[in-house]
Amino acid sequence: MNRTIVAIGCAVALFATSAQAGTYLGGAPLPAEFGFIGLIPFDAETFDATNKHQKFSSKLAASMAKCFSKGARNVSKGKDSGLDACLNDPRKGVVPKYLARVDALAPRPWCMPNGSSYVQKVLAFTRDINRDYYCESPSGAFLDPIVF
């Protein structure tokens, strides 16, 4: 009898979960695990645009990191870094590509960040991270003692 009750309970839970999977819950609050108070966009099209923007933003951050890595490699070989071209070249630069993708998104949620200001945030974050990778001197003079 207990097995029957458990089986029925599992079947009901599975059916309820699969039935709810197709229902869009626009305006639903995000759970606390997201680290901020936010809402699911009210319509599914805006939600899709938001997710696309997030995908483009993660590609921007990864591409910027790659530009800095290539630039450091170039400097290590005595060449020009090529960083500005990698980031800003109108045909191949990661920033123009990102801005073109974001400008094409529709519909745009009211809270979606402006493309240019978001680029500056990601660039500042990437530069900040690079301080750890390339051992920024705490005093700024590269005269700090080496600790082994």
Side-chain angles (χ1 to χ4, degrees), residues 27-31 34-41:
L30 291 171
F34 281 79
F36 59 91
I37 298 172
L39 300 174
I40 298 294

Side-chain angles (χ1 to χ4, degrees), residues 95 98-99 102-103 108 113-122:
V95 172
Y98 165 79
L99 292 174
V102 169
D103 288 344
R108 291 177 59 89
N114 172 308
S116 298
S117 65
Y118 194 73
V119 165
Q120 294 307 312
K121 286 181 184 180
V122 175

